[in-house]
Amino acid sequence: MKKIRCYIPNVLLTFLLVFFLLAAQLTIFVKAQALNPRIFRQITAEENLADKAYDSLEDYFKSRTNATGIPTEVYMDVITHEAIRTAMDQSVTTAFDYLNGKTDTYEFSMDFTDLEASIESFFSAYAEENNVQKDQVYEDKVASVITEAEAKITFVTDTFKFSTMYENGWLETARKVVSYLNLATVLCVVAAVILFILLIVCNLRQLEHLLYWSGLAGSISSLLMLLPCIYVTSTDYFSGFAIKDPQIFAAVVGYLRRLVSGVTTMEIVTLIVSVICFAAFGFFCALRREEAEEKS
């Protein structure tokens, strides 16, 4: 009966420890990786998102030339790769300032002074060449072309679609969650530590058993996350996403792959530590048996 009474509390505590350990890992990972602006900047660089966005804009304005009569150069001569790269970085910075409560609104914008001057110059030259009167209709047409071009460039440059998420209220929801993330991490870590201490108390007479239960909790929690990650990686699951824009596809898939890779690494480390605990448990049990045989 004594052995059964010891076994049941260990099983219950280990079961609870699995989930609190998993919750602690995930909250820490979300804060350190999923919601880390540095990760988004790394993806921008690694996936060459600025170049992809530039090519996408060039293709768009080329396709619009026949319909509008406006040469692609009017737009692309004043749009540089560096300007797009800077805008992407600013989009990420602005989004995380809002998420972390540094600002009350998400307002991403670009400096279109050169673009506006280029479009106005083109229309002015066209009006003079074709004797077009610069009346209200003319002004409205110029303003319409500028507005359309700026909207397209902003949309393409905001590769991670923070503006869309803000307009749909998703960033606001995420902002509320982020505000409680640190508290959730602390609670999960404290709960896991308390459960671990209770395991120690349950195994005071045979501390080597603590290694077994700890290794069991660690291995189960790691496998719960590791197996789905292995499946997603081995099947290249994210490549099947139906996203037409190449820079958006690269951004989304690159981000998700980075998260899966990070979780995989974290859980492999946890699994290795768990295996070490099992090995240590076996070693100490063998040592104890040898001591018992020597005494007998």
Side-chain angles (χ1 to χ4, degrees):
M1 290 297 295
K2 182 178 180 181
K3 191 172 183 181
I4 295 176
R5 283 198 301 270
C6 184
Y7 178 78
I8 293 177
N10 275 314
V11 170
L12 179 60
L13 290 171
T14 301
F15 177 79
L16 294 173
L17 183 58
V18 167
F19 292 100
F20 279 105
L21 182 60
L22 190 58
Q25 287 180 320
L26 289 178
T27 53
I28 291 172
F29 180 81
V30 168
K31 186 69 175 178
Q33 295 289 323
L35 295 179
N36 188 339
R38 177 177 55 84
I39 300 300
F40 288 84
R41 296 190 182 98
Q42 288 177 352
I43 293 171
T44 299
E46 292 171 0
E47 300 292 337
N48 296 317
L49 296 185
D51 294 339
K52 287 183 172 67
Y54 184 91
D55 294 340
S56 177
L57 286 172
E58 189 172 38
D59 291 340
Y60 172 78
F61 288 123
K62 280 182 180 178
S63 68
R64 294 283 294 164
T65 298
N66 292 333
T68 63
I70 304 175
T72 307
E73 293 75 17
V74 173
Y75 305 100
M76 301 311 297
D77 282 353
V78 292
I79 300 174
T80 64
H81 291 78
E82 187 58 33
I84 293 177
R85 192 174 294 108
T86 300
M88 287 181 173
D89 181 70
Q90 183 59 39
S91 171
V92 172
T93 301
T94 304
F96 279 93
D97 283 346
Y98 174 73
L99 284 174
N100 294 321
K102 295 180 180 179
T103 57
D104 294 328
T105 58
Y106 170 78
E107 297 179 355
F108 169 62
S109 61
M110 297 175 61
D111 182 5
F112 290 116
T113 303
D114 293 339
L115 177 67
E116 293 171 1
S118 179
I119 294 174
E120 289 172 355
S121 176
F122 168 78
F123 273 96
S124 180
Y126 178 85
E128 291 177 4
E129 184 179 342
N130 295 277
N131 296 319
V132 176
Q133 185 178 357
K134 295 183 179 180
D135 54 10
Q136 189 59 47
V137 175
Y138 168 86
E139 296 295 339
D140 290 344
K141 178 61 178 178
V142 174
S144 174
V145 171
I146 290 175
T147 300
E148 181 184 347
E150 291 179 354
K152 181 62 179 180
I153 294 169
T154 301
F155 179 81
V156 172
T157 304
D158 183 22
T159 308
F160 295 101
K161 293 295 163 276
F162 291 121
S163 296
T164 302
M165 288 189 284
Y166 179 72
E167 291 168 0
N168 291 329
W170 300 339
L171 274 189
E172 183 180 359
T173 301
R175 175 185 168 105
K176 295 176 182 177
V177 173
V178 169
S179 64
Y180 293 105
L181 190 57
N182 289 333
L183 177 61
T185 302
V186 171
L187 291 176
C188 290
V189 170
V190 169
V193 170
I194 291 174
L195 290 170
F196 187 74
I197 291 173
L198 292 175
L199 274 176
I200 294 175
V201 172
C202 287
N203 296 278
L204 278 176
R205 294 186 178 181
Q206 293 178 310
L207 282 177
E208 65 271 15
H209 287 187
L210 178 65
L211 292 169
Y212 171 79
W213 296 112
S214 299
L216 185 62
S219 59
I220 293 175
S221 66
S222 63
L223 289 173
L224 285 174
M225 290 301 296
L226 194 56
L227 293 178
C229 289
I230 292 174
Y231 170 78
V232 168
T233 302
S234 61
T235 59
D236 200 12
Y237 181 80
F238 300 128
S239 294
F241 282 11
I243 302 176
K244 295 181 180 179
D245 293 326
Q247 79 279 3
I248 298 176
F249 178 85
V252 172
V253 172
Y255 177 69
L256 293 175
R257 283 175 176 166
R258 174 64 70 93
L259 293 187
V260 170
S261 176
V263 171
T264 301
T265 301
M266 178 177 67
E267 299 305 340
I268 286 176
V269 171
T270 303
L271 187 59
I272 291 173
V273 173
S274 301
V275 171
I276 292 173
C277 287
F278 282 132
F281 167 72
F283 172 78
F284 286 116
C285 283
L287 197 62
R288 183 176 285 249
R289 281 196 298 269
E290 288 181 4
E291 293 177 352
E293 289 174 0
E294 290 177 358
K295 289 180 181 179
S296 61

